[in-house]
Amino acid sequence: MALSAEGRETADYYKALQSGELGTGFALALATRLLSRRYPSHFVSIVPADTALRAGWALTSRDSGPKSGYRYRPQFFAEVWKPGAPSRVFPIACKGNHSGLSASHTQLASAAAHVEAVHIGAWDETQCLLFSTELPLDGPLTVHALEAGGEGGWLDAPGRVLDHALEDDNVYPGIQPPAQGDKPMEPEPGYHVSPDLYAWFQHALARTAAAGVTAFAGDTRATAQYLTKRQGQRHFTGFTHAATDSVQDARHRFFGTDFVGPDHVFRLNRKRVEAFSGVAEDLFRHLEEGRVEQYRREIYARRSTWPCDTWAPRWNGPISIHPDGSVLAMRLLRD
């Protein structure tokens, strides 16, 4: 793959945004494919790390609770799970650049500091994924990937009822290294999901992922119920106007499945484009009514049954359906 002519001509002040967004997109697509092949009987959910961590730690000065004062964090978690079994979590850091291999080496080194900021279980045993995407003006796009090995990351604790609301916790920041003889070590900066937090963290990941799906479908009321106060619940409980936010006001049928969500119209290279982001209606109703357990059971059972077509004839445009039941469809608007 390579940048289009329009992509190559992007102004300098847009290039950082372009490399960041495309770097994230390619990294998460690659991470999902890698983990799905490695764990074929599991489902892979991608969760924004800041949102999930904020339910337990005060990440910034505006958050209530003990402040960590540490600015390094992974951007995402990949949770590999199946109903009734322990899940495994992989911190992910991803970056992008328009420079070349030397810039990617620097980015991977920086990304290592971000993923090391979260330990799940034993010291230095959390598997992590690091990505740097090169977007040269001429030549192919290249994704560099590194994996840190380890036996940790398993949330092997009795599960909590995911339908129950999650409350903010106040976990003291720091990663506890193993003691050297009889002498305890000082905590390292970061965030440590110790065994007593496994069930809570799995609960936080599931409800944060559910909030992402309902927000994608444009339902602020449904989203607010899945977030804690520190995670930004208030943002989804105020007045929403169609001109300033996503509003669930559209319904489309793709390949025999009804989807609900918002639609947007914008200009791309002087052409008017319509985009629809939605969720399968039957799955969305589970989330709307707070049935996270049922939603997860159904997307797990249907994970291999979604159509793989990339073009919807009646819609007359490209389409992408994700195993979590979400869809993104785009088409040109004709005069």
Side-chain angles (χ1 to χ4, degrees), residues 26-40 44 46:
F26 281 105
L28 296 184
L30 181 57
T32 301
R33 180 167 296 188
L34 167 70
L35 295 174
S36 296
R37 289 181 177 178
R38 188 175 295 175
Y39 300 91
V44 179
I46 302 296

Side-chain angles (χ1 to χ4, degrees), residues 257 280 282-283 297-306 323:
T257 301
D282 59 329
L283 295 174
R297 283 194 296 267
E298 291 198 20
I299 63 171
Y300 177 81
R302 294 161 61 176
R303 67 191 186 281
S304 301
T305 65
W306 297 98

